[in-house]
Amino acid sequence: MSRIYEALQKAESERKLERREPELRIPEQSAPTAMNAAAAVAEPEETLVSARYSGDLTIDAPYSQGPPHFTGPGSLDLSIIPHRPWALSLSQLPALLERGPAVEQFRSLRSRIFELRDISPLKTILVSSGLPQEGKSFISTNLALSLARHKNSKVLLIDGDMRRYTLHQILGCESNPGLADYLAGKASITEVMQRPEPLQSPTPGATPILPNLTFIAGGNGGDKAADLSGSPRFGELIRQTTPYFDWIIVDSSPVLPVSDAVNLARSCDGVLLVARGGVTKFSVAQRAQSELKASNILGFVLNAVLEMPQVGSYYGYDSTKQ
Ligand SMILES: Nc1ncnc2c1ncn2[C@@H]1O[C@H](COP(=O)(O)OP(=O)(O)OP(=O)(O)O)[C@@H](O)[C@H]1O
Ligand SMILES: [Mg+2]
C-alpha cells in the first residue's frame, strides 16, 4: 500500500506545484451530466486511469436473457423479492453507458477486481473512505452496475451507510425497509431486498436492463447506526446471501468520523478505499487505511480526477480516442 500513498502524495504535490494553490479543489461541475471519474485499485502505477466523462446518455440494454434464475444451496427463497419501480438517476450512473471514458474506467476497475479475485477469494467488497463526499456511493453504485453488466453476474448492492443513505436516490427507489430494519430485527433478509421492475431503455424497443441487480437500501439507522453496524446480523446477512450472488458490494459511511464501516468490514472479503482527486489529503487517506488495518484493503480508487497525474509509470486514458 505504501506505493499507493506515495503515488497519491506525489500527485497531490505535483498538482499543488502546477496550480500554485495551497489546497486543491475540484471545480464545480458545469452540468448535471458532466462527470469526471478515475478508477484505480491496488498498484496504481499500472492501473490509474483518468478521463473526462460528458456526453449523451444512451443505454443499449445488453440483456435479453430475461430475469436471472436464482438458485443456491442456502435457505433463502429469493423468488419472493418484490420488483419495485425504479427511476434511475442516469446522470450519476455512467457505468450504464455503452461507451466512453467513464464506462472504460469502471471496466478497468472491474478488471483489477477480477485479477484480485484470481489471487484470493473475493466476493464481498466494502467501499469506504476517510471523510464524507469523496465518492463512496458513486463508486459503489457504478461498480455494482458494471459488475452486473458483465456476463449477467448476479450482484447484491447494499447501502451500508445507515446515517446518510443515498443509494436509493441514485436508483430512484424506496429506502425502507432497509438494512437498518433488518439489523434491528424488524425485517427479514428477503423483506429488505428489492429488484427493479423491468426497466426500459429510453431507446424505443429496447430490452429491459438490470434484471440481475438486487438492492438493500439503508433504512433509517439514525443514532443507532453504530450499534446496528456492530450487530452479528450483518455477518449473518452476508453468510446467507453469499451463495446466491457473484458479487456483494457494500457502500458505507466515512471511516474517520464514525466506526460503522470498520464494523461492517469485518464481514467483508475486502475493502476498497476512495480518494477524491484534488480533495483527499494524503494524511486522510493514510488514516483511513490505518482505521481499516484489520481488514483486507484491496486498494484505492482515485475518483473525480480532472487531470492525469504525471507520476512514475502511470498511464492515462485518452478520452478523445474511443
Ligand atoms: N467522479 C465524479 N464525478 C462527478 N461527480 C461525482 C463523482 N464522484 C462523486 N460525485 C458527486 O459528488 C457527490 C458526493 O459523492 P458521493 O455521495 O458518492 O460521496 P460519498 O463519499 O458517498 O459521501 P457521503 O460520505 O456523504 O456518503 C455526489 O453529488 C456525487 O454525485
Ligand atoms: Mg455516500
Side-chain angles (χ1 to χ4, degrees):
M1 295 303 301
S2 63
R3 286 197 297 168
I4 293 171
Y5 282 135
E6 278 167 26
L8 280 171
Q9 199 169 35
K10 204 166 170 185
E12 189 178 59
S13 39
E14 285 191 2
R15 283 195 299 270
K16 279 182 183 172
L17 275 177
E18 260 177 34
R19 301 183 194 183
R20 299 180 188 284
E21 290 173 358
E23 283 254 328
L24 294 175
R25 297 282 168 212
I26 294 184
E28 293 295 321
Q29 304 298 333
S30 54
T33 56
M35 191 173 296
N36 303 281
V41 58
E43 300 180 1
E45 293 85 344
E46 292 164 12
T47 61
L48 186 67
V49 290
S50 171
R52 293 187 178 203
Y53 154 66
S54 73
D56 297 335
L57 288 161
T58 55
I59 299 176
D60 295 334
Y63 311 114
S64 55
Q65 293 90 335
H69 183 54
F70 285 93
T71 54
S75 55
L76 292 179
D77 179 6
L78 298 191
S79 67
I80 63 172
I81 299 172
H83 289 259
R84 294 194 180 153
W86 289 11
L88 301 176
S89 173
L90 295 176
S91 64
Q92 297 183 73
L93 297 171
L96 283 178
L97 294 168
E98 275 311 295
R99 62 186 67 85
V103 77
E104 287 304 327
Q105 289 158 20
F106 281 104
R107 280 185 191 141
S108 168
L109 176 60
R110 188 175 72 190
S111 300
R112 290 295 294 140
I113 286 172
F114 289 160
E115 285 170 29
L116 293 171
R117 184 180 59 177
D118 290 342
I119 298 167
S120 60
L122 182 61
K123 181 178 280 194
T124 309
I125 300 175
L126 180 114
V127 179
S128 193
S129 76
L131 293 172
Q133 296 292 296
E134 292 178 302
K136 297 175 287 296
S137 302
F138 174 80
I139 296 293
S140 344
T141 314
N142 281 286
L143 174 61
L145 294 179
S146 183
L147 290 166
R149 296 187 71 176
H150 183 75
K151 296 184 178 172
N152 282 321
S153 298
K154 293 187 284 294
V155 177
L156 172 62
L157 173 63
I158 302 176
D159 194 336
D161 186 345
M162 292 173 283
R163 299 168 194 262
R164 296 176 71 173
Y165 42 97
T166 56
L167 299 197
H168 68 286
Q169 290 170 351
I170 300 174
L171 298 173
C173 62
E174 291 293 322
S175 67
N176 288 296
L179 180 65
D181 302 284
Y182 162 76
L183 294 178
K186 295 179 187 161
S188 69
I189 293 178
T190 47
E191 281 169 346
V192 296
M193 286 174 156
Q194 53 177 304
R195 293 186 193 144
E197 278 177 356
L199 293 168
Q200 294 299 323
S201 159
T203 313
T207 45
I209 57 172
L210 298 183
N212 44 358
L213 181 70
T214 303
F215 176 53
I216 297 181
N220 187 359
D223 53 11
K224 297 196 177 71
D227 289 343
L228 291 173
S229 65
S231 161
R233 280 174 72 85
F234 184 69
E236 183 61 18
L237 167 70
I238 299 297
R239 195 185 65 73
Q240 290 223 32
T241 52
T242 288
Y244 298 92
F245 294 95
D246 299 302
W247 295 99
I248 300 174
I249 305 299
V250 185
D251 186 24
S252 70
S253 28
V255 76
L256 295 185
V258 288
S259 60
D260 310 7
V262 176
N263 289 337
L264 299 182
R266 291 195 189 100
S267 303
C268 298
D269 301 325
V271 174
L272 211 52
L273 282 166
V274 178
R276 188 157 189 157
V279 173
T280 303
K281 291 183 178 166
F282 172 69
S283 59
V284 167
Q286 200 170 31
R287 281 163 53 211
Q289 186 198 0
S290 174
E291 288 293 325
L292 285 156
K293 61 178 179 291
S295 298
N296 173 27
I297 297 179
L298 305 171
F300 275 86
V301 176
L302 189 51
N303 179 38
V305 176
L306 295 181
E307 301 295 337
M308 188 64 217
Q310 300 299 311
V311 180
S313 59
Y314 281 2
Y315 68 85
Y317 181 87
D318 185 346
S319 59
T320 62
K321 294 176 189 164
Q322 291 186 21

